[in-house]
Amino acid sequence: MKEKLNKLRDEFLEQLAQAKDSDYLHELELKYLSRKGELSQIMRSLKDLSLDLRQEIGELANNVKLELQSKFAEMSQTINNYSNKSGKIDITLPGGRIPQGHLNPITLVQQEMEDIFISLGFKILDGPELESDYYNFTALNIPPTHPARDMQDTFYVDLKNKDGQYDLLMRTQTSPVQIRAMQKYGAPLRALIPGRCFRSEATDARHEHTFYQVEGLLIDKNINFSNLKSLLEIVGQKLFGQNTKLRMRPKFFPFVEPGNNGEYTCFLCQGQGCRVCKYTGWLEIVGAGLVHPAVLKAGGLNPDIYSGLAFGFGLNRLAMLKYNINDVRLFNNGDLKFLEQF
Ligand code: PHE
């Protein structure tokens, strides 16, 4: 009987040590510890023994029972903790994932531009989004009655200045910071100016009232058109690859002379013609030109000594091309399903 008890004890402990889940534990409990289990059977057979033996073995059997019950309880506790049903923390489980934010694709393109121009010795500047009529138009060679004002649908702000005139507007372009930069830093100057701009547009898949530009300004002595062309060529190659070509076509901007539109080889079809470049092989991406003497003057510089080049990229358009985004309104609508792709 003693032997039987010891054997049962050893067997039980051996099997208990292998327990991995609560189903296994339950089976073990049924087999050994329940009322019909092996231990109870031994206890029941005690009544057939002599009084002396009954006492001795009974005591032993009781001790074994207590030991097995307490070992069993210990193990169920461990297994419960592991499956975290008890609400306790299992420090061996891998940690939960902390959700991370995403950069807007426009920010990504802006940072890429900044990297390119910092490597070319440009400083990064910014300027006010609420701008004066003077900086946004007049100083850029667009006087109050000039028809070129109609080229930009402007949000005027309903606030009069000290002379009783409406003077504030949401800037329609980053170009006013050209003037601010010249006034503040003088010449020579190399500046890249990313920023948010606003136009009173009827929005659709290609037009948005709030959008981003990045302006470039380089002022020095003897700056000429070939400087502009080679600079934009380098930028195009860094943005779209080594084989990218640039073509420049005349375009009127009042603050540059001559003014032009820069177009790059379509990087999607390598200039073969596709839906994105409307089968022309070229992508119209940058407005540019040599800084108009009137603009240099407004910036406080002498146009007989200094000349300059300026350009403006539309960041929304760049990001749309680069990431194959088909609706400009996606950038501002805060939809996580869109943003989380970048
Ligand atoms: N500011 C112009 C626009 O918004 C772009 C531009 C910048 C053109 C600098 C020439 C030089 O369309």
Side-chain angles (χ1 to χ4, degrees), residues 140 151-152 172-176 178 197 199 211 213-216 251-256 258-261 286-291 309-314:
L140 290 168
M151 283 164 48
Q152 301 184 348
T172 58
Q173 49 190 351
T174 42
S175 304
Q178 285 189 31
C197 304
R199 287 187 200 180
F211 57 97
Q213 289 189 338
V214 58
E215 190 91 5
K251 165 116 198 244
F252 174 67
F253 298 102
F255 34 93
V256 285
N260 56 86
N261 249 334
V286 54
L290 294 182
V291 181
L309 58 86
F311 53 86
F313 285 87

Side-chain angles (χ1 to χ4, degrees), residues 322-340:
K322 193 155 178 141
Y323 296 109
N324 207 359
I325 295 164
N326 61 8
D327 193 323
V328 69
R329 291 167 292 193
L330 288 165
F331 291 121
N332 289 344
N333 77 356
D335 184 349
L336 287 180
K337 283 199 290 260
F338 169 69
L339 292 174
E340 281 172 354

Side-chain angles (χ1 to χ4, degrees), residues 140-156:
L140 290 168
N141 202 27
I142 315 174
T145 54
H146 198 287
R149 289 200 175 208
D150 289 346
M151 283 164 48
Q152 301 184 348
D153 310 293
T154 308
F155 287 121
Y156 289 94

Side-chain angles (χ1 to χ4, degrees), residues 16 33 64-75:
L16 185 68
L33 301 178
V64 168
K65 186 179 173 187
L66 288 176
E67 186 192 352
L68 296 195
Q69 278 175 339
S70 99
K71 289 262 163 63
F72 181 84
E74 222 177 279
M75 184 56 104

Side-chain angles (χ1 to χ4, degrees), residues 230-255:
S230 61
L231 179 63
L232 291 182
E233 253 163 18
I234 291 169
V235 175
Q237 283 162 7
K238 293 214 180 190
L239 277 178
F240 302 119
Q242 212 52 44
N243 295 326
T244 307
K245 291 202 170 54
L246 169 73
R247 80 173 178 186
M248 305 181 90
R249 305 210 285 179
K251 165 116 198 244
F252 174 67
F253 298 102
F255 34 93

Side-chain angles (χ1 to χ4, degrees), residues 271-288:
Q272 298 304 299
C274 67
R275 212 173 51 84
V276 172
C277 61
K278 299 211 192 83
Y279 302 96
T280 63
W282 298 92
L283 294 170
E284 197 180 305
I285 286 181
V286 54

Side-chain angles (χ1 to χ4, degrees), residues 187-225:
L189 178 64
R190 289 181 211 186
L192 189 81
I193 306 140
R196 187 154 56 162
C197 304
F198 310 84
R199 287 187 200 180
S200 177
E201 303 267 14
T203 50
D204 61 27
R206 292 170 60 94
H207 299 91
E208 176 62 287
H209 50 71
T210 300
F211 57 97
Y212 292 78
Q213 289 189 338
V214 58
E215 190 91 5
L217 178 68
L218 186 153
I219 309 277
D220 212 326
K221 290 175 181 159
N222 303 317
I223 297 301
N224 59 36
F225 203 83

